[in-house]
Amino acid sequence: MAEDRARNSKSGEKTLIRDISFCGVPENGSNASMVDVKDGKIIRIRPMHYDWKYDPEKDMNPWKFDVRGSTFEPSMKTLIPPYSIAYKKRVYSPARVRFPMKRVDFDPGGAPGSTGPGGRNTQNRGKSKYVRISWDEALDIISKEMNRLKETYGPTCLLYQCDQHGENKVVQACHGAGRKLLPLWGGYTLQIRQPDSWEGWWWGSKHFWGCEPVGQGKQSNLLLDVAENCELLLFWGCDQETTPWGWQGQLPSRLSYWYSELGIKQIYVCPDLNYAAAVHADRWIPVLPNTDAALYLAITYVWFKDGTYDKDYLKTHAVGVETYEAYVMGEEDGVAKTPEWAATRCGVSARVIKALAREWASKRTSVVIGNGGPGIRGPYATEPARLQNICLAMQGLGKPGVNQVKMIEWGLFDFPDQYAQPKPLRVPNLRKAYTGGHPSDKNDPSLPKTLVPKAILEGSCDWWGCESETAPREDQFIHRFYPAEGASKIHAVWTDSPSWITCWNGGNDYVRAMQHPDIEFMWAQHPWLENDALLADIILPVNTKLEEDDIAADIFSGQYNLLYPENKCVEPLGESFSDYEIVCMLADKLGLLEEYTGSKSIPELIKYGWETSRCADLISWEELKDKGYFVVPTADGWEKEPRGFQKFYEDPKNNPLTTPTGLLEFESTGLKEHFPDDKERPPVPKWIPSGITHQETLETERGKKYTLLVISNHPRWSVHSQHEDITWLREIPTCKIKGPDGYQYHPVWLHPSTAAERGIADGDVVSIYNDRGTVLAAAYVTERIMPGVIYIDHGAKWDPIVPGEIDRGGAINTIVPRNVTSKNAVGHAVSGFLAEIEKTDLDELKRKYPDAFNRPFNPTAGPGLDAVMAGGEE
Ligand SMILES: Nc1nc2c(c(=O)[nH]1)N[C@H]1C(S)=C(S)[C@@H](COP(=O)(O)OP(=O)(O)OC[C@H]3O[C@@H](n4cnc5c(=O)[nH]c(N)nc54)[C@H](O)[C@@H]3O)O[C@H]1N2
Ligand SMILES: Nc1nc2c(c(=O)[nH]1)N[C@H]1C(S)=C(S)[C@@H](COP(=O)(O)OP(=O)(O)OC[C@H]3O[C@@H](n4cnc5c(=O)[nH]c(N)nc54)[C@H](O)[C@@H]3O)O[C@H]1N2
Ligand SMILES: [Mo]
């Protein structure tokens, strides 16, 4: 153990422990890093060693799996992802906002809707350049505009977009610091964070198996259960070599190698041979995007026919099985959901479907997911989600080795964030010291994030549910409206999470909504100049978490839980401040500072974090500061915690689910009562190729015009919109590909046959298009993707050629469906949709739009901030 853990620190260097992770929730740090600093500059970032100041045996009570003659133990160092190691590139990115900025053609004196000199020129958002202004001027404009708007329309005319992922900050809150200020000021409209990661489970599975609050299966001790009991793992839309990077680190990678060593078979079901499949799969079963529902239906058809499912279990644990069986066997609609029926829809041959169904039924099988993949974030995602649950139920869900296992984040011990009741396992929790808003803090009025463009462009809308991202199932039966009774329409937007365009549904609509004359004022606060910030009238500079003091808790690594104060590594760049400090400055301008802060200073809040962390009795503040971190020892008896659905499996009467019947509902009681005629989310899950909300399958008329299905996974080389400025990663061809014009294009994967049919060669610049717009990308021709499917990671920086129409940066979300999951479910539908692709004539485009090509917004193209500054300014 020992001091030599700091061995890389060279003379004159200082080493600081920092949580460099990206989910933006106070206590959801994952893997501490060590940051070496010299002369006020970050030199390098590296993993932290748990045993730097602690003796593992004496202080940490290490956990261990001893299974089938093999042992698996946590590593003694943190398993940080490449993004953390490379984070100094983010801190020193050329795209950093270094001072407050104002859009050149925005004049706050202009009347609403005014254009030309002295006007607001909202139509130019996304096109105009910026000038530097002082902090005083910026805050003056913002506070005056806020008060003018409040007087004119009432405070609810201000939409606050203030949630999502980002740097993990607690006292310095990366999002939502204004949620405590705005009620003091008079009110506002809250943009509701949605169950983005788990739309299908949330809008679908809750009606099947409950699992509040998020609709995914219970996770305690499942990784041990897999090791002890599983014979087969079905990785269904899961890439545990990629998505743990964004959240948890590299433990799932180690575990997957170990599972292979134990002889557990791994089958991957996904349209692409993803990064995990490439190294762990015993077999890859390619399926067409967003057609999993057909595949699950056929699997259950085989089981009903062969009688290879757990009939006794269903008798005591489920309701509505007969109704489901009638649909599957064709008694309801005259169409039996046979493997042959499914094959033409999902692209998997009937022979393979039968073999898969029989192998699944004959082996102890768990389904492994990350969050479920884009397959549960597409049109009608409620159906594949519920049908996967049904497959598990038919094989005795909760039996040893039969569960839904979430391999990123939580699988080892529990699901600590959502189920944060005190457990024998001490999970540090920093919610109380968090200065940002929490999704479950209620606010009226509010608007679901997915409906923001529609509300602004159409002036009104309605929806069901969405009180918050953690609302219970019953909330989905409450009807809500925009504008809400007594509330104003939206006339101003404040965003501290400006990644709507590149991360949400129908991104081009969002651009048009922000250009609408109704939106009289828009301001953003952000560390980097990119995406929605490029639409704002005023942009405020935020610092990165290496430039401020804070406190952190790591609970996601799957190894050990940590608590540590965080000391500033370097001084803030330029004139940047933390989000919390910025809101304090605004509160001061509005005369609300004392009320806002409750007279607590930042150092006091940091100490308060320790006090309320649930670990204050385990380590004193002095010792914590002295040692620099605290490793929470593993609780004895952790392996006895019930595994997944174990208790429900053993005794459903005394351990009911949160469904109305307490049982697994093949036919949902709640949906039947509230939406009996909903064809897009029927009480019994179905195959829905199209409906009034979506026409996104090859079975539709649109499918003849746009003949390819698009998947957009979570980016391997970034976390959504974060990390694109890490230049080191851009040398990798699946990250960026240099076009003939030197611009670094986002790659799109195509099968050689798909490319050949369209005369496209590897490396060509291509246009991906449909009726919602066009996105440029560079062709990556590979057999790792099915024919007829194209794959492009979401999150690339928006670099508009024509804002709202053509994008050069690869921001695929500009053309994903604008509509929500289905008629009565307002989730986002962002993958598994139709498009066409063709080779781009770059010269012609350049002739047509010379200005756009002279002014790239995307710092991956090189110029960074300078590209958007009006002549002569910095
Ligand atoms: N096509 C497609 N789209 C998808 C998905 C998909 O599968 N396919 N998945 C969806 C899912 S599951 C999710 S969760 C969403 C995620 O979407 P988002 O959560 O919107 O994505 P992020 O880019 O991680 O973060 C939000 C913003 O916070 C900013 N930020 C980071 N740190 C700070 C800070 O300290 N202060 C401030 N003010 N800002 C900061 C980031 O730069 C970014 O602009 O994307 C969804 N979009
Ligand atoms: N590196 C990185 N890590 C991340 C994130 C990130 O942006 N980058 N984001 C974080 C967040 S917020 C979340 S929610 C999680 C998401 O974690 P996941 O939901 O697990 O991740 P995805 O990349 O959306 O999807 C996983 C795999 O699903 C497969 N897939 C795509 N479409 C389909 C389909 O229609 N059917 C089937 N069967 N498979 C399909 C692809 O092979 C893909 O690799 O990741 C987290 N971790
Ligand atoms: Mo997510």
Side-chain angles (χ1 to χ4, degrees):
M1 85 139 199
E3 289 306 320
D4 71 329
R5 287 308 179 205
R7 63 187 177 275
N8 289 340
S9 290
K10 304 204 174 92
S11 73
E13 290 180 6
K14 193 167 67 167
T15 297
L16 298 108
I17 303 171
R18 303 296 305 206
D19 165 25
I20 308 179
S21 50
F22 323 101
C23 58
V25 183
E27 65 276 14
N28 291 7
S30 49
N31 282 282
S33 300
M34 280 170 156
V35 183
D36 294 324
V37 177
K38 188 176 181 182
D39 301 331
K41 280 222 130 202
I42 301 162
I43 303 295
R44 72 183 78 75
I45 299 174
R46 55 197 170 94
M48 185 212 148
H49 295 257
Y50 294 110
D51 59 354
W52 183 13
K53 301 279 175 71
Y54 292 90
D55 180 330
E57 290 309 319
K58 228 169 71 211
D59 303 317
M60 290 160 61
N61 194 19
W63 57 268
K64 183 166 23 167
F65 294 167
D66 264 321
V67 181
R68 308 188 204 190
S70 180
T71 304
F72 187 84
E73 290 171 288
S75 155
M76 248 327 120
K77 65 177 181 185
T78 54
L79 300 170
I80 54 178
Y83 321 125
S84 308
I85 297 174
Y87 211 71
K88 75 174 185 187
K89 287 284 182 187
R90 292 283 281 155
V91 178
Y92 301 122
S93 162
R96 280 293 297 276
V97 184
R98 286 161 201 258
F99 35 74
M101 294 159 68
K102 185 176 83 65
R103 188 160 62 82
V104 277
D105 49 359
F106 168 73
D107 188 331
S114 51
T115 56
R120 289 180 181 261
N121 294 301
T122 60
Q123 78 286 355
N124 286 343
R125 290 191 180 128
K127 297 176 190 160
S128 323
K129 294 196 172 194
Y130 287 85
V131 286
R132 178 177 185 168
I133 56 173
S134 70
W135 264 107
D136 204 46
E137 195 184 341
L139 291 167
D140 219 50
I141 294 174
I142 294 170
S143 56
K144 284 193 176 130
E145 278 293 281
M146 282 175 75
N147 288 332
R148 177 188 69 82
L149 285 154
K150 182 161 77 169
E151 240 162 67
T152 318
Y153 307 104
T156 52
C157 77
L158 172 59
L159 177 75
Y160 188 28
Q161 305 185 289
C162 60
D163 202 330
Q164 282 317 129
H165 300 305
E167 292 188 337
N168 278 25
K169 295 170 171 174
V170 176
V171 167
Q172 309 285 9
C174 83
H175 299 300
R179 282 181 70 174
K180 289 180 183 146
L181 174 67
L182 290 172
L184 301 173
W185 171 71
Y188 68 112
T189 294
L190 174 66
Q191 171 186 277
I192 295 279
R193 167 81 185 272
Q194 288 186 287
D196 39 40
S197 317
W198 48 76
E199 303 285 7
W201 314 123
W202 207 82
W203 298 101
S205 303
K206 281 194 189 199
H207 301 286
F208 176 77
W209 66 13
C211 288
E212 298 292 352
V214 291
Q216 294 183 4
K218 293 188 193 309
Q219 294 304 315
S220 46
N221 268 336
L222 286 181
L223 300 180
L224 179 58
D225 185 58
V226 168
E228 288 182 344
N229 299 306
C230 279
E231 295 164 303
L232 173 63
L233 291 175
L234 299 174
F235 289 82
W236 211 294
C238 179
D239 180 355
Q240 77 280 15
E241 291 293 343
T242 295
T243 53
W245 284 8
W247 266 199
Q248 188 205 34
Q250 309 199 31
L251 190 76
S253 170
R254 287 189 57 214
L255 267 166
S256 301
Y257 283 106
W258 187 57
Y259 288 158
S260 295
E261 252 175 69
L262 295 182
I264 305 170
K265 188 168 175 183
Q266 308 188 13
I267 296 180
Y268 282 71
V269 185
C270 39
D272 54 331
L273 185 82
N274 66 32
Y275 296 88
V279 291
H280 300 297
D282 292 296
R283 166 132 208 184
W284 171 38
I285 300 181
V287 59
L288 285 170
N290 206 24
T291 62
D292 301 80
L295 180 51
Y296 292 125
L297 282 164
I299 288 169
T300 61
Y301 175 90
V302 175
W303 292 344
F304 280 126
K305 231 166 167 229
D306 294 355
T308 45
Y309 63 103
D310 197 334
K311 291 188 200 88
D312 291 340
Y313 172 92
L314 292 183
K315 273 185 207 137
T316 45
H317 290 72
V319 292
V321 181
E322 305 72 30
T323 323
Y324 174 72
E325 186 175 357
Y327 169 67
V328 173
M329 304 315 280
E331 287 154 30
E332 186 197 306
D333 57 358
V335 183
K337 311 304 172 303
T338 61
E340 290 73 18
W341 169 87
T344 59
R345 287 159 177 84
C346 70
V348 183
S349 73
R351 179 183 61 81
V352 172
I353 298 176
K354 284 179 206 160
L356 175 63
R358 291 183 178 137
E359 188 164 2
W360 187 341
S362 67
K363 291 189 167 140
R364 285 280 169 119
T365 305
S366 282
V367 173
V368 189
I369 57 166
N371 257 326
I376 55 91
R377 277 173 229 121
Y380 308 127
T382 48
E383 309 309 286
R386 289 191 285 168
L387 288 164
Q388 182 189 102
N389 306 156
I390 282 185
C391 290
L392 285 165
M394 286 179 71
Q395 297 303 330
L397 174 72
K399 195 187 276 186
V402 182
N403 272 297
Q404 184 192 53
V405 180
K406 189 165 149 68
M407 197 146 179
I408 57 169
E409 302 167 4
W410 297 292
L412 189 56
F413 298 124
D414 203 339
F415 201 162
D417 175 36
Q418 270 88 354
Y419 300 110
Q421 75 270 31
K423 289 250 165 196
L425 223 67
R426 280 304 176 100
V427 178
N429 189 302
L430 295 171
R431 277 274 144 100
K432 293 219 166 91
Y434 186 45
T435 57
H438 185 260
S440 60
D441 298 343
K442 197 167 168 299
N443 184 76
D444 286 326
S446 60
L447 185 61
K449 185 160 186 176
T450 47
L451 292 182
V452 167
K454 188 180 164 87
I456 293 169
L457 294 170
E458 296 178 14
S460 69
C461 57
D462 67 299
W463 65 96
W464 297 85
C466 255
E467 182 197 65
S468 79
E469 170 208 2
T470 51
R473 183 183 56 84
E474 291 83 354
D475 181 62
Q476 296 184 22
F477 306 131
I478 296 175
H479 205 179
R480 295 192 166 88
F481 301 86
Y482 166 83
E485 220 187 309
S488 165
K489 279 202 201 175
I490 294 161
H491 289 285
V493 173
W494 175 10
T495 175
D496 67 18
S497 41
S499 49
W500 213 106
I501 300 170
T502 193
C503 287
W504 287 77
N505 50 307
N508 277 337
D509 285 6
Y510 180 82
V511 176
R512 281 192 287 274
M514 292 305 118
Q515 291 175 338
H516 197 282
D518 270 6
I519 307 304
E520 296 172 24
F521 183 49
M522 176 183 184
W523 82 99
Q525 59 187 65
H526 201 236
W528 303 279
L529 191 63
E530 60 196 21
N531 301 318
D532 320 353
L534 297 166
L535 300 167
D537 304 327
I538 301 283
I539 307 169
L540 304 176
V542 173
N543 54 26
T544 69
K545 67 166 295 156
L546 299 189
E547 299 153 64
E548 57 202 27
D549 292 329
D550 211 328
I551 181 162
D554 282 5
I555 61 165
F556 264 5
S557 72
Q559 302 208 98
Y560 292 99
N561 293 328
L562 298 180
L563 177 73
Y564 47 98
E566 296 186 301
N567 297 319
K568 190 194 274 189
C569 300
V570 295
E571 287 305 312
L573 256 73
E575 294 180 2
S576 64
F577 289 91
S578 81
D579 287 276
Y580 177 64
E581 288 167 327
I582 291 171
V583 178
C584 286
M585 292 193 281
L586 183 58
D588 199 20
K589 274 273 178 197
L590 297 167
L592 296 165
L593 184 63
E594 282 301 302
E595 268 179 278
Y596 175 64
T597 61
S599 306
K600 265 203 169 87
S601 67
I602 288 175
E604 281 166 351
L605 281 169
I606 291 173
K607 188 173 175 198
Y608 180 64
W610 157 81
E611 256 167 47
T612 52
S613 67
R614 308 201 295 203
C615 296
D617 58 332
L618 302 177
I619 184 161
S620 71
W621 180 234
E622 285 65 36
E623 196 185 348
L624 183 61
K625 279 198 301 185
D626 181 46
K627 283 221 159 93
Y629 69 103
F630 176 59
V631 187
V632 185
T634 310
D636 288 326
W638 61 270
E639 66 281 10
K640 296 196 189 80
E641 287 279 301
R643 298 165 180 205
F645 283 85
Q646 183 188 341
K647 286 173 89 174
F648 172 72
Y649 171 73
E650 287 166 355
D651 181 0
K653 279 218 167 64
N654 289 310
N655 301 288
L657 304 172
T658 54
T659 54
T661 55
L663 299 174
L664 300 162
E665 298 195 347
F666 281 57
E667 183 179 35
S668 152
T669 317
L671 293 180
K672 202 172 166 188
E673 187 186 333
H674 294 274
F675 305 113
D677 303 319
D678 186 349
K679 299 247 171 324
E680 298 194 318
R681 185 179 47 164
V684 172
K686 299 209 158 127
W687 165 247
I688 306 174
S690 65
I692 51 163
T693 310
H694 296 285
Q695 294 81 44
E696 297 290 351
T697 58
L698 296 168
E699 292 177 43
T700 59
E701 272 303 303
R702 280 184 79 242
K704 293 185 186 135
K705 193 163 173 201
Y706 309 112
T707 62
L708 299 170
L709 283 164
V710 186
I711 56 166
S712 57
N713 301 343
H714 284 219
R716 174 160 177 90
W717 304 113
S718 17
V719 178
H720 314 298
S721 72
Q722 307 180 64
H723 307 318
E724 277 222 314
D725 22 26
I726 299 178
T727 45
W728 296 328
L729 299 177
R730 281 187 246 144
E731 292 167 18
I732 301 161
T734 52
C735 180
K736 293 287 166 189
I737 295 173
K738 214 173 234 177
D741 52 347
Y743 185 87
Q744 293 187 325
Y745 288 90
H746 208 45
V748 56
W749 297 23
L750 308 105
H751 189 269
S753 64
T754 312
E757 282 161 14
R758 290 161 181 79
I760 294 168
D762 191 58
D764 278 352
V765 176
V766 291
S767 303
I768 308 167
Y769 63 94
N770 60 24
D771 39 358
R772 296 180 286 262
T774 300
V775 174
L776 302 197
Y780 182 75
V781 178
T782 171
E783 292 189 359
R784 284 177 60 188
I785 186 81
M786 291 174 82
V789 178
I790 59 173
Y791 154 41
I792 177 167
D793 278 333
H794 91 274
K797 283 189 204 207
W798 181 58
D799 192 2
I801 292 173
V802 182
E805 291 174 34
I806 311 175
D807 163 61
R808 190 188 188 189
I812 194 65
N813 282 49
T814 55
I815 67 163
V816 306
R818 54 171 60 98
N819 283 344
V820 293
T821 305
S822 66
K823 188 164 171 265
N824 297 314
V826 286
H828 64 184
V830 285
S831 192
F833 61 92
L834 294 170
E836 192 47 77
I837 192 166
E838 65 184 22
K839 197 171 160 170
T840 309
D841 186 341
L842 265 181
D843 294 332
E844 195 198 315
L845 258 188
K846 282 186 182 168
R847 266 194 303 276
K848 216 164 153 193
Y849 305 109
D851 290 351
F853 279 89
N854 290 335
R855 183 190 138 280
F857 269 159
N858 186 342
T860 52
L865 200 58
D866 291 346
V868 291
M869 298 307 290
E873 302 282 334
E874 281 272 338

